[in-house]
């Protein structure tokens, strides 16, 4: 094969490789996921091979009802007079005028909110009878978990991990410092205004480690964050001594029963003694008053 022939094969191969890819791009379905954290700005990408300055392109967000995010029509757009932009996006979306001649129809959303999360489309109605680009935006809130010692009981030290206002829904796990996942109680999950509050408790006993980690995973955001707590050896000792104290208390209770018996015996003895004194007193009726303190002393014992 001569050089020209080889070039032809190479060219054909390249066309073969490129064509399906280009076709795929036109019909791409939510293949691109863009992840940002709440409050930051994000660029949603969309571009074609020709200038978009004289084009119409329309950005929409999926939902129960499609929301108008940004529309550009040959120079007119939502920031210079076009109407019907959704309130959610008003004043927060802009395009890149100096990039348009390169076919760039990307937009920037400022100060993203959790509610901006969802599927977006960039639509060119006048190209190839309608050309649509799809992408998914996930605006996350990734609070660091707070970890506390919740209680010390006879079964160990109770640890609590708490995450407030997270999005997307986080999964919590307790691990020891070797990375082993610890048994935990059922997580408590509540949701308010699209944000999740989750707590997860576990009980740890004295092991080879005293350091425990609460890991918060937000799969849709590809995000993981963790907080570590160190439990002092002393608490484990306290946890054990608590058992001893309780044992002691139980002993005391049993002792109390015995005490009652002893008191009853003493009381009976007292009664006998008082009767005996009274009996003696009768014989001492003629005696001077000086003896009285003795009998009253006994009564007050
Ligand atoms: C976004 O698109 C994906 C598929 O591409 C779909 O599973 C999901 O339900 C869509 N989300 C919304 C909010 O429409
Ligand atoms: C379009 O413009 C934005 C903003 O300047 C830039 O970030 C992005 O990379 C551009 N896209 C293309 C395909 O050039």
């Amino acid at each position: 094969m001569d050089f020209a022939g080889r070039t032809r094969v190479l060219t054909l191969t390249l066309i073969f490789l490129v064509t399906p890819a280009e076709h795929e791009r036109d019909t791409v379905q939510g293949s691109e996921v863009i992840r940002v954290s709440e409050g930051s700005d994000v660029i949603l990408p969309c571009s074609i091979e020709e200038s978009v300055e004289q084009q119409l392109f329309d950005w929409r967000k999926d939902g129960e009802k499609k929301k108008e995010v940004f529309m550009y029509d040959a120079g007119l757009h939502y920031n210079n007079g076009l109407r019907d932009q959704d309130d959610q996006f008003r004043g927060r979306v802009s395009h890149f005028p100096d990039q348009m001649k390169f076919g760039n129809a990307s937009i920037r959303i400022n100060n993203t909110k959790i509610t901006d999360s969802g599927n977006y489309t960039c639509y060119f109605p006048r190209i190839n009878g309608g050309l649509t680009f799809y992408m998914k935006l996930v605006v996350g809130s990734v609070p660091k978990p707070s970890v506390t010692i919740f209680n010390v009981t006879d079964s160990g030290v109770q640890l609590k991990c708490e995450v407030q206002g997270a999005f997307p829904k986080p999964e919590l796990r307790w691990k020891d410092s070797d990375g082993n996942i610890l048994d935990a109680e059922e997580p408590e999950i509540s949701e308010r205004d699209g944000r999740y509050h989750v707590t997860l408790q576990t009980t740890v006993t004295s092991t080879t480690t005293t350091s425990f980690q609460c890991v918060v995973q937000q799969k849709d955001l590809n995000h993981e964050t963790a907080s570590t707590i160190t439990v002092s050896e002393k608490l484990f000792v306290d946890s054990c001594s608590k058992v001893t104290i309780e044992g002691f208390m139980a002993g005391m209770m049993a002792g109390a029963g015995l005490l009652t018996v002893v008191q009853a015996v003493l009381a009976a003895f007292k009664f006998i003694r008082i009767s005996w004194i009274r009996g003696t007193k009768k014989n001492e009726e003629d005696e001077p008053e000086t003896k009285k303190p003795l009998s009253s002393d006994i009564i007050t014992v």
Side-chain angles (χ1 to χ4, degrees):
M1 204 185 284
D2 63 356
F3 178 74
R6 227 182 285 172
T7 312
R8 206 169 300 130
V9 172
L10 189 66
T11 312
L12 280 173
T13 314
L14 276 180
I15 287 167
F16 179 74
L17 282 175
V18 166
T19 309
E22 261 178 1
H23 177 71
E24 216 172 75
R25 195 175 169 201
D26 288 358
T27 57
V28 72
Q29 301 277 332
S31 68
E32 188 158 9
V33 181
I34 299 149
R35 301 172 171 95
V36 290
S37 59
E38 185 181 25
S40 59
D41 301 343
V42 67
I43 292 175
L44 300 185
C46 178
S47 57
I48 58 171
E49 301 294 314
E50 59 191 86
S51 167
V52 293
E53 283 172 313
Q54 295 307 313
Q55 280 294 341
L56 166 64
F57 61 83
D58 188 15
W59 279 91
R60 287 181 178 185
K61 180 182 182 291
D62 264 355
E64 282 167 26
K65 187 169 157 277
K66 281 206 170 191
K67 287 179 173 173
E68 275 294 334
V69 179
F70 190 81
M71 189 189 276
Y72 174 95
D73 187 3
L76 273 179
H77 52 84
Y78 283 156
N79 293 335
N80 72 0
L82 269 191
R83 291 172 182 274
D84 292 336
Q85 185 177 30
D86 195 282
D87 285 345
Q88 182 181 339
F89 296 100
R90 192 159 296 158
R92 288 199 295 132
V93 186
S94 52
H95 67 309
F96 300 98
D98 53 353
Q99 291 279 319
M100 299 187 74
K101 53 181 172 293
F102 308 118
N104 193 334
S106 305
I107 53 169
R108 187 202 343 251
I109 303 177
N110 291 327
N111 186 22
T112 51
K113 299 173 192 317
I114 284 173
T115 48
D116 293 340
S117 299
N119 294 332
Y120 286 76
T121 54
C122 169
Y123 176 54
F124 293 91
R126 293 176 196 151
I127 290 182
N128 299 344
L131 174 59
T132 308
F133 294 85
Y134 298 83
M135 71 213 68
K136 184 178 177 181
L137 173 66
V138 184
V139 181
S141 160
V142 292
K144 214 171 161 61
S146 74
V147 287
T148 48
I149 293 171
F150 181 63
N151 201 1
V152 180
T153 69
D154 51 358
S155 51
V157 178
Q158 285 184 336
L159 304 178
K160 182 161 101 173
C161 179
E162 188 164 15
V163 172
Q164 299 221 359
F167 182 87
K169 192 174 176 175
E171 274 174 41
L172 275 58
R173 257 170 302 155
W174 275 106
K175 288 181 177 179
D176 65 16
S177 59
D178 296 331
N180 302 312
I181 295 172
L182 304 174
D183 283 340
E185 287 170 28
E186 275 296 302
E188 281 176 34
I189 305 170
S190 64
E191 191 205 324
R192 208 174 57 210
D193 301 329
R195 292 167 189 271
Y196 294 89
H197 302 255
V198 185
T199 60
L200 184 69
Q201 280 182 38
T202 188
T203 303
V204 293
T205 49
S206 184
T207 55
T208 47
T209 67
T210 53
S211 165
F212 303 93
Q213 197 181 39
C214 176
V215 181
V216 178
Q217 191 183 24
Q218 288 168 289
K219 279 185 185 144
D220 282 353
L221 207 55
N222 270 357
H223 190 269
E224 212 174 82
T225 179
S227 294
T228 303
I229 189 165
T230 303
V231 179
S232 85
E233 288 281 3
K234 194 184 158 292
L235 275 184
F236 289 122
V237 174
D238 286 354
S239 164
C240 290
S241 65
K242 200 149 181 172
V243 182
T244 319
I245 287 168
E246 267 161 30
F248 177 69
M249 286 302 284
M252 286 288 281
M253 295 302 276
L258 184 65
L259 203 65
T260 313
V261 174
V262 170
Q263 269 168 343
V265 170
L266 279 175
F269 177 70
K270 216 184 286 175
F271 176 76
I272 292 162
R273 250 186 112 183
I274 290 163
S275 309
W276 177 76
I277 288 163
R278 287 227 176 101
T280 347
K281 247 180 124 181
K282 266 185 191 152
N283 302 336
E284 293 167 351
E285 246 160 5
D286 303 330
E287 293 277 308
E289 295 276 302
T290 49
K291 288 274 178 178
K292 268 189 178 163
L294 176 68
S295 77
S296 64
D297 275 354
I298 293 167
I299 288 162
T300 53
V301 162

